[in-house]
Amino acid sequence: MSTVAGIAVSPDHYIGGRRVASADRFEDRSPIDWAPLAEVARGGQAEVDMAVEAATAAFPGWAALGAEGRAVHLRRLADLIDRNVERLATVECLDMAMLERSLKARVIARGARNYRAYADLAAAYEERVWESNGTRNRVIRMPSGPAAVVTPWNAPFMLSTWKTAPGLAAGCTVILKPAEWSPLSCSLLADLADEAGLPPGVFNVVQGIGEEVGAALVAHPGVRRVSFTGSPGTGALIGQAAAANIVPFTGELGGKGPLIVFDDCDLEAAARKAAGQYDDAGQVCLAGTRLLVQESVADRFLELFHRFADEHVLGDPRDDATTVSPLIHPDHMARVEGFVERARAAGDQIVRGGKPADIGGLFYEPTLVLPKSNDSEIVQREVFGPVLTFQTFGDEHQALELANSTRYGLSAIVYTGSEERAQRVGRAVRAGTVWVNAFLIRDLTAPFGGVGISGIGREGGNYALDFYSDLKTLQVLEDTTR
């Protein structure tokens, strides 16, 4: 057992209702000061086989409980999350360095909301019933079986609940593989699932390195669904592994979202929101990282943007004054630095930031780049750090050309004072989610996912419950004498 800020956290796997150690370990460190947090079990094929076997054995009983029976367990788990927000936030802040006040105020509690929302949705499902050709027809959801859930290192607790909640509510058993850079809050989630009384094998956590245990998990023939959030490159590999077993796969694979500012909008609100994209060091897939501003207001927008960006405070994410936290890992720091240095070498103009922060550690300055071309790498590829680009447009047509010019399509933000333009542009932007005069407002019943290389499939509401189900049509001949 490891102790993190006085909180006991198991570094071992959770398989079949018990903790399981591995002979091999990997070191988990805090991005805040790079201090060691835990020596975490490094699983492989043997642990994956054990977890899939446990999930397979538990599946018939869990599925047989029905939606209402499963909802009892999930609502109990949600209540436990609510009672443990402080502990979960403390550990996740140290492990991932997201702002602790955000974790306590909304992010961890969103995990409880996820379990309650899917418990309610699954229980409220109404089978479609109709008559045709002398038969009475009914569409039935059948739980698909053990599901592999692979989650990223940013917001690990919330995203793990976002994916496991619909799987469990639909009647699947799950094997969760958290990211090796921030695994500890997911270990606490396993403790809460155990305390909530989920039967052994229904919820499993396998720790380890993605290329080792993650690859073995998604390729396992006993897995019947695969859900992943991460990079497009890794998503493509996981999709291939799932396809080899004819297993449905859903992936949320990152973004390069435009933040489009028209001259008829509340410019101060738009500039403030743009500067807010540096929150959590830009390690947010939904962030509007490409600032597209109408030429007539570009100078005024930049003036306001710099004013609001100057208000950011880089520092310890446990400090309420901090607004920009450190990057997750030295490897990621090097990746962000590489993007900016290549942009500088290619002739893109760095007008703000552009280097590691003077305070040292894994902090990188909030950076703004004026690319010399829309084809610049810094425009076309996801950086996943505190790096934004700034481009101007003349009219709505050009704005849409720029907005839709990357291979990504996860989300977009539009600022306009015109309802007609909001509808036109909102419909024309190629993205899974478009916010107008807002950002990160979520309805858990709405479909969520990307187009292009930003993903495949949809999460959220009944879309997720359908993914974790096999749909059956039952036809009964009404005239039994025929």
Side-chain angles (χ1 to χ4, degrees):
M1 187 67 69
S2 297
T3 302
V4 179
I7 298 168
V9 184
S10 174
D12 293 332
H13 316 287
Y14 179 76
I15 299 173
R18 63 186 180 90
R19 290 292 177 175
V20 176
S22 288
D24 293 331
R25 299 265 167 178
F26 67 91
E27 189 175 55
D28 179 38
R29 290 176 174 263
S30 174
I32 299 173
D33 54 9
W34 208 235
L37 294 175
E39 292 287 331
V40 181
R42 183 169 179 165
Q45 188 66 58
E47 289 82 359
V48 167
D49 289 344
M50 189 185 306
V52 175
E53 181 179 355
T56 301
F59 172 65
W62 182 247
L65 281 179
E68 285 288 2
R70 295 188 292 268
V72 172
H73 292 278
L74 299 184
R75 291 177 186 131
R76 191 180 300 141
L77 176 53
D79 291 342
L80 286 169
I81 292 172
D82 281 339
R83 293 203 290 271
N84 285 274
V85 166
E86 293 280 333
R87 293 174 62 249
L88 292 162
T90 296
V91 170
E92 183 149 306
C93 178
L94 283 167
D95 203 20
M96 186 256 154
M98 180 179 281
L99 299 177
E100 189 170 37
R101 68 174 182 276
S102 296
L103 289 166
K104 290 180 177 179
R106 57 181 178 83
V107 179
I108 299 300
R110 163 73 189 277
R113 286 179 56 213
N114 288 335
Y115 284 117
R116 288 194 186 96
Y118 282 109
D120 293 345
L121 279 169
Y125 175 65
E126 294 184 5
E127 297 174 352
R128 181 191 169 200
V129 179
W130 75 102
E131 296 180 359
S132 68
N133 301 316
T135 64
R136 187 166 181 81
N137 306 274
R138 184 181 297 272
V139 176
I140 300 170
R141 277 181 180 157
M142 299 185 297
S144 59
V149 172
V150 182
T151 53
W153 48 259
N154 62 315
F157 183 86
M158 189 279 289
L159 289 174
S160 293
T161 66
W162 174 239
K163 289 179 172 293
T164 60
L168 293 169
C172 296
T173 50
V174 300
I175 306 106
L176 169 64
K177 192 278 172 192
E180 56 266 32
W181 285 355
S182 56
L184 300 184
S185 58
C186 291
S187 181
L188 291 177
L189 176 59
D191 290 339
L192 297 181
D194 189 81
E195 188 177 347
L198 271 69
V202 169
F203 184 91
N204 307 274
V205 177
V206 180
Q207 315 273 19
I209 309 302
E211 296 85 349
E212 300 169 357
V213 70
L217 176 61
V218 299
H220 197 288
V223 166
R224 299 315 307 154
R225 289 293 186 274
V226 175
S227 180
F228 170 71
T229 294
S231 71
T234 303
L237 295 174
I238 291 176
Q240 291 170 21
N245 292 320
I246 320 295
V247 171
F249 162 65
T250 183
E252 189 262 278
L253 308 178
K256 193 70 179 176
L259 194 160
I260 309 168
V261 179
F262 288 98
D263 61 8
D264 61 354
C265 78
D266 180 338
L267 202 62
E268 185 166 322
R272 185 182 293 278
K273 189 63 66 178
Q277 304 306 296
Y278 291 128
D279 289 356
D280 291 314
Q283 298 171 133
V284 180
C285 57
L286 292 165
T289 58
R290 292 184 294 134
L291 309 184
L292 308 179
V293 182
Q294 197 153 20
E295 292 167 355
S296 56
V297 294
D299 290 343
R300 177 59 177 158
F301 175 89
L302 275 178
E303 178 185 331
L304 290 165
F305 172 83
H306 285 303
R307 191 178 89 198
F308 293 131
D310 286 343
E311 296 175 359
H312 278 300
V313 177
L314 280 67
D316 191 319
R318 294 167 292 186
D319 186 338
D320 284 347
T322 298
T323 61
V324 177
S325 48
L327 295 171
I328 180 75
H329 193 278
D331 290 352
H332 191 56
M333 178 79 157
R335 182 178 187 274
V336 172
E337 283 190 87
F339 270 106
V340 177
E341 289 308 310
R342 289 193 299 274
R344 183 179 280 116
D348 297 333
Q349 183 182 359
I350 314 298
V351 297
R352 182 183 192 92
K355 67 183 191 303
D358 294 337
I359 61 176
L362 295 174
F363 292 90
Y364 197 86
E365 294 180 343
T367 297
L368 184 66
V369 181
L370 272 61
K372 68 176 185 179
S373 166
N374 191 56
D375 295 329
S376 295
E377 180 195 44
I378 202 76
V379 175
Q380 293 295 322
R381 291 185 59 196
E382 183 179 40
V383 179
F384 215 64
V387 179
L388 309 179
T389 60
F390 179 85
Q391 297 167 273
T392 61
F393 61 86
D395 57 22
E396 191 174 300
H397 175 74
Q398 188 180 14
L400 286 168
E401 280 191 334
L402 290 171
N404 292 333
S405 65
T406 76
R407 297 175 66 200
Y408 296 89
L410 183 61
S411 62
I413 306 167
V414 178
Y415 270 83
T416 178
S418 164
E419 173 64 26
E420 292 77 14
R421 174 173 279 158
Q423 291 295 324
R424 284 196 310 271
V425 174
R427 291 172 182 272
V429 172
R430 293 281 298 163
T433 300
V434 179
W435 286 283
V436 178
N437 300 330
F439 177 56
L440 272 185
I441 297 172
R442 296 296 309 278
D443 181 332
L444 302 188
T445 65
F448 176 77
V451 301
I453 64 170
S454 283
I456 183 171
R458 289 294 181 269
E459 298 174 303
N462 283 311
Y463 307 92
L465 291 170
D466 282 345
F467 169 75
Y468 285 106
S469 305
D470 290 309
L471 299 182
K472 173 193 292 183
T473 301
L474 177 63
Q475 290 185 300
V476 178
L477 189 66
E478 292 190 303
D479 183 356
T480 58
T481 62
R482 292 173 59 184

XYZ file of all heavy atoms in Angstrom, residues 124-188:
496
model
N -34.660 3.663 -17.554
C -35.794 4.301 -18.230
C -35.964 3.843 -19.682
O -36.885 4.301 -20.361
C -35.613 5.819 -18.205
N -35.112 2.949 -20.147
C -35.162 2.531 -21.550
C -36.514 1.899 -21.888
O -36.995 1.018 -21.179
C -34.050 1.529 -21.847
C -34.090 0.959 -23.245
C -33.877 1.775 -24.352
C -34.338 -0.396 -23.457
C -33.895 1.254 -25.632
C -34.357 -0.927 -24.738
C -34.132 -0.101 -25.817
O -34.157 -0.617 -27.091
N -37.110 2.375 -22.951
C -38.376 1.817 -23.420
C -38.143 1.088 -24.736
O -37.682 1.686 -25.716
C -39.407 2.930 -23.610
C -39.814 3.618 -22.316
C -40.906 4.655 -22.531
O -41.402 4.765 -23.681
O -41.253 5.345 -21.557
N -38.425 -0.182 -24.736
C -38.240 -0.958 -25.954
C -39.197 -0.472 -27.042
O -40.370 -0.177 -26.773
C -38.495 -2.446 -25.678
C -37.506 -3.045 -24.686
C -37.858 -4.474 -24.322
O -38.955 -4.941 -24.729
O -37.053 -5.132 -23.628
N -38.700 -0.355 -28.230
C -39.563 -0.006 -29.355
C -40.447 -1.208 -29.686
O -39.950 -2.323 -29.879
C -38.713 0.382 -30.573
C -39.557 0.788 -31.774
C -38.744 0.902 -33.033
N -39.610 1.040 -34.207
C -39.228 0.792 -35.455
N -38.002 0.398 -35.716
N -40.079 0.938 -36.455
N -41.741 -0.979 -29.737
C -42.705 -2.044 -30.026
C -43.612 -1.575 -31.165
O -44.117 -0.447 -31.137
C -43.556 -2.380 -28.785
C -44.576 -3.465 -29.109
C -42.657 -2.808 -27.625
N -43.795 -2.428 -32.175
C -44.682 -2.073 -33.286
C -45.190 -3.346 -33.976
O -44.671 -4.439 -33.741
C -43.964 -1.162 -34.279
C -42.958 -1.836 -35.172
C -43.131 -2.190 -36.475
C -41.629 -2.248 -34.825
N -42.003 -2.784 -36.979
C -41.068 -2.827 -35.985
C -40.864 -2.199 -33.664
C -39.774 -3.342 -36.012
C -39.567 -2.710 -33.678
C -39.042 -3.258 -34.842
N -46.215 -3.155 -34.793
C -46.805 -4.281 -35.518
C -46.562 -4.105 -37.001
O -46.666 -2.998 -37.552
C -48.309 -4.370 -35.244
C -48.634 -4.661 -33.778
C -50.137 -4.742 -33.523
O -50.904 -4.553 -34.498
O -50.525 -4.981 -32.364
N -46.223 -5.224 -37.657
C -46.048 -5.205 -39.112
C -46.124 -6.628 -39.641
O -45.672 -7.576 -38.977
C -44.709 -4.579 -39.507
O -43.636 -5.400 -39.119
N -46.735 -6.784 -40.802
C -46.812 -8.073 -41.477
C -47.335 -9.197 -40.584
O -46.862 -10.329 -40.623
C -45.429 -8.475 -42.020
C -44.878 -7.459 -42.994
O -45.604 -6.967 -43.876
N -43.607 -7.108 -42.834
N -48.301 -8.846 -39.757
C -48.918 -9.859 -38.909
C -48.095 -10.245 -37.705
O -48.427 -11.229 -37.032
N -47.010 -9.493 -37.427
C -46.184 -9.816 -36.260
C -46.131 -8.621 -35.314
O -46.305 -7.472 -35.720
C -44.742 -10.177 -36.661
O -44.117 -9.032 -37.255
C -44.723 -11.335 -37.645
N -45.879 -8.912 -34.065
C -45.612 -7.874 -33.066
C -44.106 -7.864 -32.830
O -43.513 -8.889 -32.490
C -46.366 -8.158 -31.775
C -46.261 -7.014 -30.755
C -47.285 -7.197 -29.643
N -47.232 -6.126 -28.661
C -47.798 -4.924 -28.819
N -48.455 -4.654 -29.945
N -47.722 -4.001 -27.866
N -43.491 -6.682 -33.017
C -42.030 -6.567 -33.006
C -41.555 -5.789 -31.790
O -42.214 -4.853 -31.326
C -41.564 -5.852 -34.271
C -42.089 -6.523 -35.523
O -41.491 -7.456 -36.026
N -43.231 -6.063 -36.027
N -40.398 -6.173 -31.317
C -39.830 -5.537 -30.130
C -38.310 -5.472 -30.290
O -37.678 -6.461 -30.703
C -40.195 -6.352 -28.896
C -39.763 -5.767 -27.562
C -40.175 -6.690 -26.420
N -41.627 -6.831 -26.343
C -42.431 -6.030 -25.655
N -41.911 -5.025 -24.963
N -43.719 -6.229 -25.630
N -37.714 -4.294 -29.977
C -36.255 -4.142 -30.003
C -35.740 -4.264 -28.582
O -36.144 -3.500 -27.697
C -35.836 -2.796 -30.622
C -34.324 -2.625 -30.549
C -36.307 -2.706 -32.069
N -34.828 -5.190 -28.368
C -34.312 -5.511 -27.046
C -32.812 -5.227 -27.006
O -32.081 -5.582 -27.924
C -34.569 -6.994 -26.711
C -36.082 -7.285 -26.739
C -33.947 -7.371 -25.370
C -36.411 -8.759 -26.658
N -32.384 -4.578 -25.935
C -30.942 -4.401 -25.706
C -30.392 -5.613 -24.965
O -30.867 -5.969 -23.888
C -30.673 -3.169 -24.852
C -30.636 -1.845 -25.584
C -30.332 -0.751 -24.570
N -30.261 0.576 -25.170
C -30.454 1.690 -24.506
N -30.753 1.643 -23.214
N -30.359 2.858 -25.107
N -29.375 -6.228 -25.514
C -28.677 -7.315 -24.836
C -27.281 -6.828 -24.448
O -26.542 -6.338 -25.306
C -28.534 -8.524 -25.755
C -29.826 -9.133 -26.233
S -29.515 -10.641 -27.209
C -28.585 -9.964 -28.605
N -26.880 -6.939 -23.182
C -25.513 -6.568 -22.814
C -24.509 -7.347 -23.645
O -24.687 -8.544 -23.892
C -25.423 -6.941 -21.339
C -26.847 -6.953 -20.862
C -27.664 -7.411 -22.028
N -23.460 -6.670 -24.100
C -22.568 -7.289 -25.090
C -21.530 -8.221 -24.490
O -21.068 -9.144 -25.168
C -21.858 -6.202 -25.903
O -21.113 -5.353 -25.056
N -21.130 -7.998 -23.219
C -20.115 -8.857 -22.622
C -19.015 -8.041 -21.986
O -19.150 -6.835 -21.770
N -17.875 -8.636 -21.683
C -16.765 -7.887 -21.089
C -16.287 -6.765 -22.008
O -16.127 -6.953 -23.209
C -15.675 -8.955 -20.901
C -16.431 -10.247 -20.799
C -17.591 -10.097 -21.734
N -16.054 -5.602 -21.425
C -15.636 -4.431 -22.193
C -14.284 -3.933 -21.698
O -14.045 -3.852 -20.489
C -16.671 -3.315 -22.066
N -13.399 -3.597 -22.631
C -12.103 -3.000 -22.321
C -12.223 -1.489 -22.415
O -12.692 -0.963 -23.431
C -11.035 -3.513 -23.275
N -11.809 -0.800 -21.372
C -11.871 0.664 -21.320
C -10.454 1.181 -21.081
O -9.849 0.866 -20.049
C -12.820 1.141 -20.208
C -12.731 2.641 -20.037
C -14.256 0.709 -20.514
N -9.936 1.952 -22.018
C -8.578 2.485 -21.924
C -8.678 4.007 -21.867
O -9.196 4.634 -22.794
C -7.718 2.043 -23.121
C -6.295 2.571 -22.980
C -7.711 0.514 -23.243
N -8.188 4.600 -20.781
C -8.407 6.023 -20.535
C -7.089 6.799 -20.549
O -6.017 6.231 -20.331
C -9.134 6.235 -19.199
O -8.423 5.550 -18.157
C -10.544 5.703 -19.280
N -7.157 8.126 -20.757
C -5.955 8.948 -20.870
C -5.483 9.468 -19.523
O -6.139 9.277 -18.498
C -6.423 10.099 -21.767
C -7.851 10.293 -21.357
C -8.376 8.907 -21.049
N -4.344 10.186 -19.559
C -3.765 10.690 -18.312
C -4.388 12.005 -17.864
O -4.199 12.404 -16.723
C -2.255 10.832 -18.429
C -1.758 11.537 -19.658
C -1.241 10.943 -20.773
C -1.705 12.949 -19.906
N -0.873 11.899 -21.704
C -1.134 13.140 -21.194
C -2.071 14.074 -19.162
C -0.946 14.404 -21.745
C -1.892 15.338 -19.708
C -1.322 15.485 -20.988
N -5.116 12.708 -18.714
C -5.748 13.957 -18.279
C -7.156 13.668 -17.763
O -7.895 12.886 -18.353
C -5.775 14.980 -19.417
C -6.575 14.515 -20.613
O -6.449 13.379 -21.051
N -7.397 15.386 -21.158
N -7.512 14.275 -16.634
C -8.789 14.033 -15.957
C -9.083 12.540 -15.862
O -10.158 12.081 -16.253
C -9.926 14.748 -16.672
N -8.150 11.741 -15.332
C -8.299 10.283 -15.392
C -9.510 9.738 -14.660
O -10.169 8.809 -15.149
C -6.988 9.765 -14.779
C -6.473 10.899 -13.958
C -6.890 12.136 -14.687
N -9.827 10.294 -13.488
C -10.970 9.777 -12.735
C -12.269 10.032 -13.484
O -13.071 9.123 -13.702
C -11.013 10.413 -11.344
C -12.129 9.885 -10.481
C -11.950 8.738 -9.734
C -13.363 10.519 -10.433
C -12.978 8.237 -8.950
C -14.389 10.030 -9.653
C -14.198 8.879 -8.916
N -12.492 11.285 -13.876
C -13.755 11.624 -14.535
C -13.921 10.840 -15.832
O -14.997 10.294 -16.103
C -13.822 13.128 -14.811
C -15.184 13.608 -15.295
S -15.489 13.331 -17.061
C -14.367 14.551 -17.767
N -12.865 10.766 -16.645
C -13.001 10.081 -17.928
C -13.187 8.571 -17.751
O -13.848 7.932 -18.562
C -11.790 10.390 -18.815
C -11.762 11.828 -19.345
C -10.470 12.108 -20.094
C -12.964 12.104 -20.242
N -12.631 8.014 -16.687
C -12.860 6.591 -16.424
C -14.316 6.328 -16.047
O -14.919 5.339 -16.477
C -11.923 6.100 -15.316
O -10.589 6.131 -15.750
N -14.895 7.234 -15.266
C -16.314 7.064 -14.931
C -17.198 7.304 -16.150
O -18.230 6.646 -16.320
C -16.733 8.022 -13.801
O -16.649 9.384 -14.249
C -15.868 7.841 -12.575
N -16.814 8.239 -16.996
C -17.579 8.546 -18.210
C -17.691 7.331 -19.116
O -18.714 7.121 -19.772
C -16.883 9.706 -18.926
C -17.402 10.107 -20.266
C -16.697 10.121 -21.441
C -18.712 10.600 -20.603
N -17.486 10.582 -22.477
C -18.721 10.885 -21.979
C -19.868 10.823 -19.849
C -19.848 11.388 -22.636
C -20.990 11.317 -20.505
C -20.977 11.593 -21.867
N -16.669 6.495 -19.123
C -16.672 5.324 -19.994
C -17.202 4.063 -19.311
O -17.888 3.255 -19.928
C -15.249 5.066 -20.522
C -14.788 6.102 -21.533
C -13.377 5.819 -21.997
C -12.983 6.736 -23.140
N -13.755 6.476 -24.365
N -16.856 3.883 -18.037
C -17.313 2.657 -17.372
C -18.776 2.738 -16.978
O -19.455 1.703 -16.910
C -16.458 2.366 -16.125
O -16.553 3.453 -15.199
C -15.001 2.149 -16.502
N -19.301 3.948 -16.718
C -20.698 4.072 -16.284
C -21.686 3.509 -17.292
O -22.557 2.703 -16.928
C -21.030 5.533 -15.972
N -21.621 3.869 -18.583
C -22.587 3.284 -19.519
C -22.366 1.795 -19.733
O -23.337 1.044 -19.928
C -22.348 4.077 -20.811
C -20.969 4.621 -20.699
C -20.776 4.883 -19.235
N -21.108 1.356 -19.683
C -20.866 -0.078 -19.842
C -21.502 -0.876 -18.726
O -22.198 -1.872 -18.962
N -21.290 -0.441 -17.492
C -21.875 -1.138 -16.349
C -23.391 -1.042 -16.350
O -24.094 -2.016 -16.064
C -21.305 -0.562 -15.057
C -19.814 -0.817 -14.811
C -19.313 0.034 -13.656
C -19.552 -2.297 -14.546
N -23.923 0.134 -16.669
C -25.375 0.306 -16.681
C -26.037 -0.560 -17.742
O -27.144 -1.062 -17.556
C -25.719 1.780 -16.919
N -25.345 -0.736 -18.875
C -25.898 -1.557 -19.951
C -25.851 -3.045 -19.641
O -26.512 -3.841 -20.313
C -25.135 -1.279 -21.250
N -25.076 -3.432 -18.618
C -24.995 -4.834 -18.238
C -23.691 -5.496 -18.586
O -23.537 -6.709 -18.399
N -22.713 -4.728 -19.086
C -21.396 -5.277 -19.358
C -20.569 -5.308 -18.068
O -20.808 -4.531 -17.146
C -20.641 -4.412 -20.379
S -21.413 -4.348 -22.009
N -19.596 -6.176 -18.036
C -18.539 -6.091 -17.043
C -17.382 -5.340 -17.696
O -17.260 -5.322 -18.919
C -18.099 -7.486 -16.594
O -17.837 -8.312 -17.756
C -19.207 -8.150 -15.785
N -16.535 -4.708 -16.901
C -15.503 -3.863 -17.498
C -14.125 -4.177 -16.936
O -13.968 -4.585 -15.784
C -15.803 -2.360 -17.301
C -17.124 -1.977 -17.933
C -15.776 -1.969 -15.840
N -13.127 -3.975 -17.808
C -11.719 -4.009 -17.418
C -11.148 -2.652 -17.791
O -11.073 -2.309 -18.976
C -10.922 -5.119 -18.118
C -11.590 -6.486 -17.908
C -9.484 -5.149 -17.611
C -12.286 -7.012 -19.133
N -10.798 -1.869 -16.786
C -10.283 -0.516 -16.981
C -8.766 -0.537 -16.962
O -8.148 -1.051 -16.024
C -10.810 0.399 -15.869
C -10.178 1.790 -15.736
C -10.442 2.634 -16.980
C -10.707 2.493 -14.483
N -8.168 0.060 -18.003
C -6.728 0.243 -18.039
C -6.450 1.739 -17.998
O -6.600 2.438 -18.991
C -6.132 -0.394 -19.300
C -4.589 -0.495 -19.275
C -3.938 0.800 -19.677
C -2.439 0.768 -19.472
N -1.839 2.124 -19.606
N -6.056 2.290 -16.829
C -5.751 3.723 -16.746
C -4.368 4.018 -17.311
O -3.518 3.126 -17.436
C -5.800 4.000 -15.241
C -5.446 2.699 -14.605
C -5.945 1.617 -15.526
N -4.140 5.291 -17.649
C -2.845 5.705 -18.187
C -1.765 5.565 -17.119
O -1.989 5.832 -15.936
C -2.925 7.143 -18.676
N -0.580 5.162 -17.524
C 0.511 4.931 -16.578
C 1.065 6.222 -15.974
O 1.735 6.188 -14.943
C 1.652 4.145 -17.231
C 2.231 4.751 -18.482
C 1.603 4.219 -19.756
O 0.398 3.889 -19.735
O 2.313 4.134 -20.776
N 0.783 7.382 -16.577
C 1.286 8.640 -16.025
C 0.415 9.166 -14.885
O 0.846 10.050 -14.151
C 1.396 9.705 -17.117
C 2.563 9.501 -18.031
C 3.547 8.570 -17.925
C 2.874 10.266 -19.206
N 4.449 8.695 -18.956
C 4.064 9.723 -19.759
C 2.262 11.336 -19.851
C 4.649 10.246 -20.925
C 2.843 11.837 -21.011
C 4.032 11.300 -21.530
N -0.800 8.649 -14.726
C -1.691 9.148 -13.653
C -2.696 8.069 -13.259
O -3.898 8.242 -13.441
C -2.424 10.415 -14.112
O -3.134 10.167 -15.315
N -2.237 6.970 -12.672
C -3.143 5.840 -12.415
C -3.832 5.829 -11.056
O -4.730 5.006 -10.836
C -2.186 4.640 -12.507
C -0.894 5.187 -11.965
C -0.836 6.631 -12.414
N -3.444 6.708 -10.127
C -3.803 6.484 -8.732
C -5.267 6.728 -8.404
O -5.856 6.012 -7.593
C -2.912 7.329 -7.826
C -1.404 7.035 -7.941
C -0.633 7.855 -6.929
C -1.110 5.548 -7.775
N -5.901 7.737 -9.001
C -7.314 7.977 -8.682
C -8.192 6.849 -9.209
O -9.257 6.578 -8.640
C -7.780 9.327 -9.217
O -7.611 9.419 -10.617
N -7.761 6.183 -10.268
C -8.528 5.033 -10.768
C -8.416 3.847 -9.817
O -9.347 3.039 -9.706
C -8.048 4.641 -12.164
S -8.464 5.867 -13.434
N -7.293 3.749 -9.111
C -7.179 2.720 -8.085
C -8.152 2.996 -6.943
O -8.792 2.074 -6.416
C -5.743 2.668 -7.552
O -5.610 1.654 -6.571
N -8.305 4.272 -6.579
C -9.294 4.625 -5.555
C -10.718 4.341 -6.039
O -11.587 3.957 -5.244
C -9.155 6.100 -5.179
C -7.886 6.498 -4.425
C -7.868 8.002 -4.182
C -7.767 5.744 -3.112
